[in-house]
Amino acid sequence: MSMPATGMRGGSAAQPSRHRRTLRDPELRVAIVVAVCLLGQAVIAKNVLDVTLDPITSLGALWVWFVHSLTGRRDRASELGAEAAAVFVTAATLVLYAL
């Protein structure tokens, strides 16, 4: 006997869950890039530059993600723009603290 697909928790292969996020989701891809930027910035600031970042500038990439989330745009151009801005803000912060 087989169970009906509608009784399975989370959906079946034929009926995927609508609440599951995949890498096709632009917001998730931006969040992953921002997380990598924040982790990389923390490691470089502590181990390479030997400086302590203040809370506002250390979360610069997170501010970019926050603004991207507020805009509500989910097209490819806004996704790439937000990712590039997060990388730029992270790099600029590290360069300014290195001077």
Side-chain angles (χ1 to χ4, degrees), residues 1-16:
M1 290 191 172
S2 66
M3 294 184 62
T6 57
M8 294 178 64
R9 183 175 177 203
S12 67
Q15 298 173 348

Side-chain angles (χ1 to χ4, degrees), residues 33 37 64 78-90:
V33 169
C37 286
V64 171
S78 68
E79 174 191 351
L80 291 175
E83 291 170 354
V87 170
F88 176 77
V89 166
T90 302

